[in-house]
């Protein structure tokens, strides 16, 4: 029996396989079909693969018409200056930008489609001479993030986390838009949530573990904070709203939010009925999919109509989850302004500290670093650049525009320079119980002059002019080719 079966198998292989592999075009290909001559769609011509004749030296003559020489280009102001000056190069003014700075770099023959990115990132394309070594990417345009759309044009959300910016390990951000009266559905998170409203207004509410409640109406420039695990609600008011959410985990994902609709979908109806003391028929019309962001009915204009309280009452103001940051006056200095919010004035946000910084054209946020935290930035308006120094001998300069996220790891030094014609406005967010930074100018000003002289060999007059205070922001000339700031002072 076994022998007969074996012989039969051999016969089948010998007779049927050739039939299968000599099927007509469009069916299985013959095993002997040369690579490059596979059947394709009707009307196709030529060969998919080339010939073995193309391998190695074959006497092919160089084609002088195929040139990589670039002759038609223009250089922007400052591009021929010494590379170690590190001047800002406004490549948006160049029709055909080139990777040239002083005597470094070279011309770029293409492809021309990259010009938009090169013009937006001149300090990466034609870097200052000081940039060296290996520094992780610290820049992410939120405009390149996927937009998760809400239902019925109710809004959207897009995010930045370590998937987009791997270096940003301690914080992640979400840009969320809610149309008039739209909801971000009832939810909670694994991470702490700190929020800043860009525009419009929203009504937010929460219930804590003691059964205390809070409801508040917030406007552009206001802030809220909801601790991890705390259920909360966000509804846009009549003009809609857009806001920024910052979370204290770089791996946070908006897609992993705990949603009320999903809670009901993933819990047996009999259990829901037992828990809510009702009949299972009560859940016949509950959502069959998550709501995420969805249209809502108009909220009552009187906040008190929704200010629900139980036996435990309301959350007292000293530990309020909201702060009307828009009403805080900024601290104005030459070159711009700064206003800070941290647990000093907003105690519930125990490890979130932030500064809203405005930098006038030509001015800069002074060189500094943060002694206890990474820095997460979001640029609300204007154009700027940041050079990050990372020990022992690396630095990189990144260019930003509104809608961009920046990240500076602890304790790298950096500055933020306005490179545009309008004010730069950005948020500087830390994971720290107190907003703190080390000012390089103040540090040197409070160091004995002899030590500064022996270390840096600076002129005596420069050392004498070093400030004993923290400048925060330094004014500058709108002409970004300026290199002498003696008359500006500190």
């Amino acid at each position: 029996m076994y022998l007969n079966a074996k012989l039969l198998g051999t016969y089948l292989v010998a007779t049927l396989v050739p039939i299968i592999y000599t099927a007509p075009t469009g069916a299985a290909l013959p095993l002997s079909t040369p690579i490059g001559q596979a059947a394709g769609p009707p009307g196709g011509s030529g060969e998919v693969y080339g010939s073995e004749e193309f391998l190695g030296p074959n006497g092919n003559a160089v084609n002088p018409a195929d040139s990589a020489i670039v002759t038609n280009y223009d250089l922007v102001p400052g591009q021929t200056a010494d590379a170690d000056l590190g001047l800002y190069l406004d490549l948006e003014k160049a029709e055909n930008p080139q990777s040239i700075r002083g005597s470094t770099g070279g011309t770029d023959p293409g492809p021309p489609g990259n010009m938009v990115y090169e013009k937006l990132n001149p300090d990466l394309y034609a870097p200052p001479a000081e940039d060296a070594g290996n520094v992780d990417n610290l820049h992410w345009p939120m405009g390149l993030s996927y937009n998760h759309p809400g239902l019925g044009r109710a809004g959207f959300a897009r995010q930045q986390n370590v998937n987009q910016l791997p270096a940003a390990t301690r914080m992640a951000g979400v840009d969320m838009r809610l149309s008039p009266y739209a909801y971000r559905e009832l939810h909670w998170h694994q991470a702490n949530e700190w929020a800043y409203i860009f525009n419009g207004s929203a009504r937010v509410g929460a219930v804590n573990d003691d059964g205390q409640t809070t409801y508040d109406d917030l406007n552009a420039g206001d802030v809220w904070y909801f601790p991890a695990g705390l259920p909360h609600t966000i509804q846009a008011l009549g003009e809609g709203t857009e806001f920024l959410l910052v979370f204290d985990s770089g791996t946070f994902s908006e897609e992993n939010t705990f949603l009320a609709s999903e809670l009901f979908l993933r819990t047996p109806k009999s259990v829901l009925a037992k828990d809510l003391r009702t009949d299972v028929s009560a859940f016949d019309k509950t959502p069959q999919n998550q709501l995420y962001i969805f249209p809502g009915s108009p909220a009552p204009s009187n906040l008190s109509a929704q200010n629900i309280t139980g036996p435990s009452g309301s959350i007292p103001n000293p530990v309020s989850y909201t702060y009307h940051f828009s009403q805080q006056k900024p601290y104005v200095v030459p070159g711009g302004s700064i206003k800070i919010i941290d647990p000093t004035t907003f105690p519930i946000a125990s490890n979130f500290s932030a500064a809203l910084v405005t930098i006038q054209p030509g001015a800069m946020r002074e060189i500094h670093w943060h002694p206890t935290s990474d820095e997460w930035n979001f640029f609300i308006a204007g154009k700027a650049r940041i050079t990050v120094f990372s020990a022992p001998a690396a630095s990189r300069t990144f260019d930003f525009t509104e809608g961009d996220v920046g990240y500076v790891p602890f304790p790298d030094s950096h500055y933020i320079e306005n490179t545009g014609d309008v004010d730069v406005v950005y948020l500087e967010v830390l994971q720290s119980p107190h907003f703190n930074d080390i000012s390089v100018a103040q540090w040197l000003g409070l160091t004995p002059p002899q030590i500064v002289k022996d270390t840096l060999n600076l002129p005596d007059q420069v050392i004498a002019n070093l400030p004993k205070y923290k400048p925060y922001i330094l004014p500058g000339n709108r002409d970004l080719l300026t290199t002498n700031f003696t008359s500006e002072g500190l």
Side-chain angles (χ1 to χ4, degrees), residues 378-396:
F378 191 88
F379 286 84
I380 300 171
K383 292 169 50 181
R385 68 172 178 169
I386 300 176
T387 296
V388 177
F389 160 58
S390 183
S395 64
R396 190 75 78 248

Side-chain angles (χ1 to χ4, degrees), residues 1-18:
M1 275 303 273
Y2 174 74
L3 180 61
N4 290 339
K6 186 175 181 180
L7 289 173
L8 178 61
T10 303
Y11 170 78
L12 290 174
V13 170
T15 57
L16 294 182
V17 168

Side-chain angles (χ1 to χ4, degrees), residues 333-336 359-360 362-367 441 471-476 489-490:
V333 297
I359 305 173
Q360 295 171 358
M364 61 179 276
R365 171 83 163 95
E366 64 169 326
I367 305 173
Y472 289 113
I473 298 168
L474 296 167
L490 282 168

Side-chain angles (χ1 to χ4, degrees), residues 170-174 187 189 191-194 226 232 245-250 252 254 257 352 376 431:
R170 294 198 59 194
M171 284 172 275
V174 174
H187 66 282
H189 304 288
N192 297 308
E193 171 184 308
W194 186 96
F226 294 129
H232 52 281
L245 304 171
V246 185
F247 295 89
D248 60 354
S249 170
F252 172 86
E254 180 69 12
T257 297
F352 271 90
W376 189 93
Q431 287 298 294

